[in-house]
Amino acid sequence: LASAWRYAQRTGRTLAIDWRGSCYLDEPFRNAFTVFFEPIKDIAGVRVICDDEINQLSFPGPFFPSWWNKPSIDCVYRPDEQIFRERDELSELFQAEHDSEANTVVCDACLMWRCDQDAERQIFRSIKPRSEIQARIDAIYQEHFEGRSIIGVHV
């Protein structure tokens, strides 16, 4: 998310956070972002679409990486090699000085540790867990970690 946000910021694009089809939900057409985080409209000047509006959008082509320009029936199965290739193509694009000619850049590969720490900090400052999730995080913290030294927690 941080890499995609930084690219959108640098190129003046809108950031669409589309986490439909998440393995963490039983509802394939529900955007997982708004299940876990409060909806947001902007991250440091970058317009964000992450709510139900995402279901009404038709993203314009052409797409980058080029694999996404295939007919949808050809996109049902994406082998691991393709995902890794996209990750590398996205890394190169996001680190380049230029924008892509594509109307839509699809960032559907994990780019962890491929952006600057300031971008990560901006994301962590901007997104907030839903109140019920934050309450559970707080309860876990109080039950297991409060008053103890902690190296790191991934909840």
Side-chain angles (χ1 to χ4, degrees):
L1 182 57
S3 294
W5 170 78
R6 176 64 83 201
Y7 181 73
Q9 180 192 43
R10 185 171 55 78
T11 59
R13 291 176 178 259
T14 296
L15 177 64
I17 305 173
D18 183 0
W19 292 356
R20 290 175 293 180
S22 169
C23 63
Y24 300 109
L25 299 178
D26 291 333
E27 303 168 65
F29 297 106
R30 188 155 184 210
N31 191 352
F33 183 85
T34 54
V35 170
F36 303 118
F37 300 100
E38 295 292 338
I40 51 178
K41 299 286 184 198
D42 177 277
I43 298 175
V46 174
R47 180 174 179 246
V48 174
I49 301 170
C50 65
D51 56 11
D52 289 337
E53 180 183 353
I54 210 89
N55 289 318
Q56 310 308 316
L57 294 178
S58 177
F59 295 103
F63 298 92
F64 180 93
S66 61
W67 185 85
W68 292 93
N69 291 302
K70 292 180 174 187
S72 58
I73 192 71
D74 294 336
C75 294
V76 172
Y77 174 71
R78 217 160 113 228
D80 288 345
E81 311 84 61
Q82 178 60 38
I83 295 169
F84 296 143
R85 188 170 26 260
E86 287 177 31
R87 180 198 60 200
D88 295 341
E89 290 175 14
L90 286 162
S91 285
E92 289 175 22
L93 176 64
F94 288 178
Q95 293 173 11
E97 294 295 318
H98 62 280
D99 191 2
S100 171
E101 294 292 322
N103 287 320
T104 301
V105 174
V106 179
C107 183
D108 192 29
C110 182
L111 297 175
M112 189 177 294
W113 303 300
R114 294 184 185 223
C115 68
D116 61 275
Q117 291 179 356
D118 290 335
E120 290 177 347
R121 284 187 190 101
Q122 184 61 56
I123 294 301
F124 287 129
R125 280 193 301 265
S126 300
I127 63 173
K128 304 289 181 239
R130 287 204 162 280
S131 59
E132 60 275 16
I133 293 173
Q134 186 63 55
R136 183 69 180 127
I137 292 168
D138 294 343
I140 290 170
Y141 174 81
Q142 289 171 359
E143 181 180 344
H144 298 285
F145 304 112
E146 192 167 40
R148 297 179 174 93
S149 296
I150 301 171
I151 293 172
V153 178
H154 181 211
V155 178

